[in-house]
Amino acid sequence: MKLFLSADIEGCAGLAMPAETHKAESVYRAYAGEMTKEVVAACEAAHAAGADEIVVKDGHGDASNIDPLKMPEYVTLIRGKSGHPYNMMYGIDASFDGVLYLGYHAPAGSPCFSISHTSTGNSLYIRLNGKIMSECMLNSYTAASHGVPVLFLSGDSEICRQAEDFLPGITTIATKHGEGGATWCVSAEKVLEDIYQGVRTAVSRIGKVPCLPMPDCFAYEVTYKDWKKAYAMSFYPGMEKVDTFTNRLVTARWMDVVTAHGFVVY
């Protein structure tokens, strides 16, 4: 059994402030350590449930957060940014049996987690076929484009709720919930145990969890915080200006969406 694990940091245990996600800040290192622990817990659980090969993609920032020296021998860790449009899903293909998400978070436009965003802080919100698009939604369509189902997600309670509404059969573990600028955090010890048990359950359901259906057409729409950014990005090939702050791309090809996203929100 072969699994793909995409890991972010904002949804890991305890993290609640922007500074905790930035390498230049002294508080960051503790949360990179927690991210590593959660990835290891997920990999150990998946291995115990029958996975003999796991590819982990470090998906936060410059993609050098997870400690490679802590990875089990059956894990391949992808560090750094390749430049490929798949970004957090770089390395996925049709050979995988399932996808796991660790440390995911609420999307731009959500008031339910204090550092909610989608890929960068440039958008007020992004819509895909009329629905607010999270990194979970973006990455799940990438997995679906290869016929691979999404089995598991850990992160704040809002992204867990959205994933359960969007992804058939997914198992989720909430690590925290937000209210205004505050974050109510589950203990790191409990999060590790919950991730371990949740991943074991999720992996045991391979074959029962369907792949996300792919729409025939995609309408990708970005509403920016800054009208100047919106103006500049309206010149991306295929983009049309909707209003002063919003641009739209309509296409039948998923690769068009992920490629556009990799340029216009960064």
Side-chain angles (χ1 to χ4, degrees):
M1 185 193 303
K2 184 180 179 183
L3 299 176
F4 188 91
L5 191 158
S6 173
D8 207 348
I9 201 169
E10 287 88 353
C12 291
L15 194 149
M17 307 296 175
E20 294 163 351
T21 72
H22 298 151
K23 275 192 169 182
E25 303 291 342
S26 60
V27 291
Y28 158 85
R29 183 49 54 191
Y31 294 98
E34 177 59 25
M35 183 183 182
T36 298
K37 290 177 185 177
E38 292 182 20
V39 167
V40 170
C43 290
E44 289 177 343
H47 186 61
D52 49 17
E53 184 178 356
I54 303 170
V55 174
V56 175
K57 177 67 185 85
D58 190 326
H60 176 70
D62 67 357
S64 63
N65 311 278
I66 299 166
D67 186 347
L69 306 182
K70 300 287 179 64
M71 294 299 101
E73 57 88 19
Y74 47 85
V75 171
T76 299
L77 174 63
I78 303 176
R79 308 180 75 212
K81 296 283 193 177
S82 70
H84 193 283
Y86 284 177
N87 194 4
M88 297 174 76
M89 297 296 284
Y90 170 66
I92 189 77
D93 60 31
S95 68
F96 289 89
D97 297 296
V99 170
L100 314 173
Y101 297 142
L102 264 291
Y104 272 46
H105 54 81
S110 172
C112 298
F113 182 41
S114 61
I115 49 177
S116 60
H117 64 281
T118 303
S119 299
T120 70
N122 287 326
S123 63
L124 186 62
Y125 55 82
I126 302 173
R127 294 187 187 276
L128 187 66
N129 290 354
K131 297 182 178 180
I132 293 291
M133 190 188 83
S134 62
E135 292 168 24
C136 170
M137 182 182 287
L138 176 75
N139 295 339
S140 296
Y141 277 123
T142 296
S145 72
H146 293 282
V148 184
V150 179
L151 308 173
F152 176 87
L153 177 144
S154 68
D156 65 80
S157 60
E158 177 60 16
I159 195 58
C160 289
R161 183 193 67 77
Q162 291 187 18
E164 289 167 2
D165 286 346
F166 172 64
L167 291 163
I170 192 170
T171 299
T172 66
I173 294 297
T175 61
K176 65 192 82 178
H177 76 269
E179 184 172 342
T183 303
W184 297 55
C185 300
V186 178
S187 77
E189 184 176 336
K190 186 175 190 306
V191 166
L192 290 174
E193 177 60 24
D194 288 349
I195 286 172
Y196 185 89
Q197 297 301 334
V199 169
R200 283 202 70 163
T201 297
V203 173
S204 72
R205 299 187 64 240
I206 284 179
K208 301 175 183 177
V209 177
C211 187
L212 179 69
M214 293 292 285
D216 294 328
C217 187
F218 298 95
Y220 168 80
E221 192 172 278
V222 184
T223 297
Y224 295 90
K225 296 175 181 177
D226 181 0
W227 66 265
K228 294 184 289 297
K229 179 75 171 177
Y231 172 78
M233 293 301 105
S234 71
F235 294 99
Y236 181 87
M239 281 287 178
E240 61 178 76
K241 186 175 181 179
V242 176
D243 58 40
T244 302
F245 292 90
T246 305
N247 299 325
R248 179 191 297 129
L249 174 72
V250 178
T251 179
R253 297 180 66 249
W254 179 245
M255 184 58 82
D256 292 343
V257 175
V258 289
T259 302
H261 184 78
F263 283 89
V264 303
V265 301
Y266 284 86

